[in-house]
Amino acid sequence: MEEYIVSARKYRPTSFDSVVGQQALTTTLKNAVKSGKLAHAYLFCGPRGVGKTTCARIFAKAINCLSPTAEGEACEHCESCLAFNEQRSFNIFELDAASNNSVEHIKTLMEQTRIPPQVGKYKVFIIDEVHMLSTAAFNAFLKTLEEPPAHVIFILATTEKHKILPTILSRCQIYDFERMTVRNTIDHLKSVAQKEGITYEEEALAVIAEKADGGMRDALSIFDQCASFCQGNITYQKVIEDLNVLDAENYFQIIDLAVDNKVSDIMVLLNTVINKGFDGGLLIQGLAKHVRNVLMAKDPQTMPLLEVSDQQRQRYQQQAKRCENRMLYEALRLMNQCDIQYRQSSNKRLLVELTLIQIAQITQPEEGPASGRKPRRLKSLFKHLMQSAQPRKAAPQVAAAEPAASTTPRTTASAQSPIPHIPSASPSPAPSQRPVHKKPQLKSSISFSWSNLRNSSGQTAMGNDEGKQENDGQKADQHTFDQQELELEWLSMCNRMPQHLSGVANRMKNMSPTILHFPAIEVVVENQLAMEQMEAIKGKIVSTLKLHLRNNDITLNMRVAEHQAQTKTLSRREQYELMEKENPSVAKLRELLDLQLA
């Protein structure tokens, strides 16, 4: 049985012309070989599986070829090329920096640079994944990289260029490899399938190319997997089944249903997709990419941006004719919001369902007033209701209740007018427009005035403390309070102080007001600065205390604390020494346990 070799190794390029998707870069390297203008260090950087190490090997073989072609390619017939192809060349060294990243490995490599090549012109050192070298290894490599021997060329390859020291980057010629396009990947997979005798569908190869995400090595690995699953006949249905990829037909159906405003059908389709094991966020991401492709298919100038097969391109063009630009723009905006909020959402399926419902209603015609209220009229409707709930104007004063009205039950009046209207001072309307209100029944011998009710309720509803003080002061202006009640009201007053007085309020919370001679109150202030701040609001403090303690004779005296009255803060050692002085048993216990002070 013939030994099986994976496609990524079997069809690895051996010349610059066979490298896929890097034409500009390979042309530059071939011109360098033809002209003989070679740098001492090269850096190949780019994503995985795009040909960095492959190009490094081809380049190393070409510069050591004894008779290169006119195009800058290796001849494949000389001793140097044969030795390289048979993996017995002593002029080309490959080092994996991921496992050889210490200073000792770099020093061993530097010792090998002193020996000139036996066959060929140059010794080429290919260091793969060079970003894995330690900082010490980079520093040991730096001097040799700056001034290497004339027969030494370094080719560094990395997937993370930002991790390499700037001093290394400045000494290299940098080549940035591009990701493989879907079209280039499909064409290369077609050639591999023809060489292997495998039948295929172009849509299936397009799915493999999209799954590879720009890496040719990944594409060939997925191709081998699908070829094994499909047993030599790669079809679209088998590929999406093997790779567990959501069928693009679902996206076409969702957009068609959204154009027709069929919300229920979209919900059924979403449930089918979720039951197959696909995540709702994955559906939204794929649908957003699909809508983007539909938008690109509407304009011939943007058609080249579609990286799909020819059959898919035709389907996108057909669906683009049905969709309006406004719908596509709004759908993209809604799906972008859903994608942002998906991770933070606690009910992810509901978020996806709401997004699809909104997309399906973009092209829905607006309903008229007869069929229901529009969402835009929600604010105006509330405004209308608020205006209708305003109190109506009535006469300034209503006479006493008539004897006939007293016989009517109050429940009837409350049912007809649940909220009594308090009239304002504006002139009363015409008698024909004046609403009929049931008069409040208090006592038969007392008449009642709505104006008096308004005035009394206005006094009760006053928000400031001074108005309450005038109202309550007449009832109880000599209330007796104790020390506990004073401290409680003082703390409550500090908590009610506005934001711009928060600093003063925090200091006042640490103060303890005391009753010297009732109702005189004294407060000891920490320092002169706090004293000045409290003097500015002393009048408001006194007014508030008078109001809540219900005593108009309260006076407030504030004084700064004396320096001797301030207690000294003791350290832990001083606290222990004081304790030992007061209780000699503590010293005996320390000696008995052989303890030492920290």
Side-chain angles (χ1 to χ4, degrees), residues 321-366:
K321 296 178 181 178
R322 296 193 59 198
C323 302
E324 300 178 358
N325 289 337
R326 182 184 64 85
M327 174 199 172
L328 299 177
Y329 294 147
E330 183 66 17
L332 286 175
R333 186 186 66 82
L334 293 173
M335 286 184 288
N336 183 49
Q337 292 180 353
C338 178
D339 187 37
I340 295 174
Q341 301 170 2
Y342 189 79
R343 291 186 179 180
Q344 289 77 19
S345 176
S346 58
N347 193 342
K348 294 179 170 51
R349 176 164 181 170
L350 179 60
L351 177 63
V352 175
E353 289 176 346
L354 290 175
T355 303
L356 295 178
I357 290 173
Q358 291 176 332
I359 293 173
Q361 292 180 343
I362 295 176
T363 59
Q364 186 174 358
E366 296 182 358

Side-chain angles (χ1 to χ4, degrees), residues 12 15 72 103 136 141 168 251 278 358 403 529 545 548-549 586:
R12 190 167 194 168
S15 62
V103 178
F141 182 48
I168 299 292
Y251 303 138
F278 294 101
Q358 291 176 332
L529 178 61
L545 293 176
H548 293 280
L549 294 176
V586 177

Side-chain angles (χ1 to χ4, degrees), residues 215-226:
M216 185 61 71
R217 183 173 61 240
D218 294 345
L220 291 173
S221 300
I222 299 172
F223 175 82
D224 290 343
Q225 175 185 345
C226 295

Side-chain angles (χ1 to χ4, degrees), residues 226-247:
C226 295
S228 178
F229 178 78
C230 301
Q231 296 182 354
N233 183 19
I234 301 178
T235 61
Y236 177 78
Q237 292 297 332
K238 290 183 179 180
V239 167
I240 63 175
E241 180 183 355
D242 182 34
L243 301 180
N244 195 26
V245 176
L246 186 58
D247 191 358

Side-chain angles (χ1 to χ4, degrees), residues 150-167:
H151 59 269
V152 173
I153 293 179
F154 291 104
I155 303 178
L156 314 179
T158 179
T159 56
E160 301 182 22
K161 186 172 94 172
H162 60 278
K163 292 185 178 181
I164 300 178
L165 298 179
T167 51

Side-chain angles (χ1 to χ4, degrees), residues 311-574:
Q311 297 178 357
Q312 292 285 82
R313 191 186 304 269
Q314 295 177 1
R315 293 202 60 183
Y316 279 119
Q317 289 177 338
Q318 293 175 2
Q319 192 170 67
K321 296 178 181 178
R322 296 193 59 198
C323 302
E324 300 178 358
N325 289 337
R326 182 184 64 85
M327 174 199 172
L328 299 177
Y329 294 147
E330 183 66 17
L332 286 175
R333 186 186 66 82
L334 293 173
M335 286 184 288
N336 183 49
Q337 292 180 353
C338 178
D339 187 37
I340 295 174
Q341 301 170 2
Y342 189 79
R343 291 186 179 180
Q344 289 77 19
S345 176
S346 58
N347 193 342
K348 294 179 170 51
R349 176 164 181 170
L350 179 60
L351 177 63
V352 175
E353 289 176 346
L354 290 175
T355 303
L356 295 178
I357 290 173
Q358 291 176 332
I359 293 173
Q361 292 180 343
I362 295 176
T363 59
Q364 186 174 358
E366 296 182 358
E367 300 177 353
S371 59
R373 185 184 74 245
K374 298 180 182 179
R376 298 177 181 176
R377 304 173 68 182
L378 188 62
K379 185 175 180 181
S380 61
L381 175 64
F382 282 145
K383 182 178 180 180
H384 174 71
L385 292 176
M386 293 174 62
Q387 291 178 353
S388 63
Q390 295 293 331
R392 299 183 181 181
K393 299 179 181 179
Q397 186 172 358
V398 181
E402 299 179 0
S406 62
T407 61
T408 305
R410 293 186 182 181
T411 58
T412 305
S414 62
Q416 296 178 357
S417 175
I419 302 176
H421 296 281
I422 302 176
S424 58
S426 58
S428 61
S432 60
Q433 301 176 356
R434 183 179 304 169
V436 179
H437 298 282
K438 295 295 182 179
K439 287 78 178 178
Q441 305 294 329
L442 300 177
K443 290 184 180 180
S444 58
S445 59
I446 299 176
S447 62
F448 192 78
S449 171
W450 285 105
S451 299
N452 296 336
L453 178 61
R454 179 192 63 195
N455 295 333
S456 62
S457 63
Q459 293 177 358
T460 306
M462 290 178 63
N464 52 20
D465 294 341
E466 296 178 358
K468 291 185 178 181
Q469 179 181 354
E470 295 176 358
N471 189 21
D472 299 338
Q474 300 176 358
K475 297 180 181 180
D477 57 353
Q478 300 295 332
H479 174 69
T480 303
F481 55 89
D482 55 5
Q483 179 67 25
Q484 183 178 1
E485 187 175 1
L486 171 62
E487 294 178 355
L488 179 62
E489 293 299 335
W490 180 272
L491 183 61
S492 300
M493 176 184 64
C494 295
N495 292 331
R496 293 194 305 269
M497 293 179 70
Q499 182 66 27
H500 66 278
L501 297 177
S502 59
V504 184
N506 292 332
R507 293 183 177 180
M508 291 176 59
K509 289 179 182 179
N510 299 326
M511 302 177 187
S512 298
T514 56
I515 303 176
L516 293 180
H517 305 287
F518 187 87
I521 300 173
E522 184 184 49
V523 176
V524 179
V525 187
E526 298 176 355
N527 49 48
Q528 187 62 33
L529 178 61
M531 185 71 173
E532 295 175 358
Q533 294 177 346
M534 292 185 62
E535 284 288 351
I537 58 174
K538 181 178 180 180
K540 296 182 180 180
I541 296 175
V542 175
S543 300
T544 303
L545 293 176
K546 287 182 179 180
L547 169 64
H548 293 280
L549 294 176
R550 294 175 294 172
N551 195 315
N552 292 335
D553 296 336
I554 291 177
T555 59
L556 179 63
N557 180 33
M558 299 184 296
R559 65 179 179 87
V560 181
E562 298 179 359
H563 183 70
Q564 293 78 6
Q566 297 178 357
T567 58
K568 179 183 178 182
T569 302
L570 301 178
S571 63
R572 293 194 175 185
R573 177 179 290 274
E574 293 174 344

Side-chain angles (χ1 to χ4, degrees), residues 150-257:
H151 59 269
V152 173
I153 293 179
F154 291 104
I155 303 178
L156 314 179
T158 179
T159 56
E160 301 182 22
K161 186 172 94 172
H162 60 278
K163 292 185 178 181
I164 300 178
L165 298 179
T167 51
I168 299 292
L169 295 177
S170 63
R171 290 167 169 82
C172 301
Q173 281 190 8
I174 301 175
Y175 291 83
D176 291 310
F177 283 68
E178 301 177 356
R179 288 182 176 272
M180 300 295 174
T181 63
V182 175
R183 174 49 54 189
N184 289 337
T185 305
I186 293 175
D187 294 339
H188 188 64
L189 292 179
K190 285 181 180 180
S191 64
V192 173
Q194 292 174 359
K195 294 176 182 178
E196 292 291 328
I198 299 175
T199 59
Y200 59 88
E201 293 180 1
E202 188 174 350
E203 293 182 356
L205 298 182
V207 173
I208 296 175
E210 292 178 2
K211 188 74 174 179
D213 192 24
M216 185 61 71
R217 183 173 61 240
D218 294 345
L220 291 173
S221 300
I222 299 172
F223 175 82
D224 290 343
Q225 175 185 345
C226 295
S228 178
F229 178 78
C230 301
Q231 296 182 354
N233 183 19
I234 301 178
T235 61
Y236 177 78
Q237 292 297 332
K238 290 183 179 180
V239 167
I240 63 175
E241 180 183 355
D242 182 34
L243 301 180
N244 195 26
V245 176
L246 186 58
D247 191 358
E249 184 65 26
N250 296 303
Y251 303 138
F252 284 101
Q253 291 182 10
I254 291 176
I255 298 302
D256 289 337
L257 294 174

Side-chain angles (χ1 to χ4, degrees), residues 4-52:
Y4 174 73
I5 303 176
V6 296
S7 300
R9 292 179 53 198
K10 186 176 182 180
Y11 297 100
R12 190 167 194 168
T14 58
S15 62
F16 287 121
D17 292 336
S18 59
V19 177
V20 180
Q22 311 293 343
Q23 284 77 13
L25 188 145
T26 55
T27 302
T28 306
L29 295 178
K30 286 194 296 184
N31 292 337
V33 174
K34 287 190 298 183
S35 62
K37 298 179 179 179
L38 302 176
H40 64 276
Y42 295 86
L43 176 63
F44 293 169
C45 51
R48 68 182 189 277
V50 294
K52 300 185 297 297

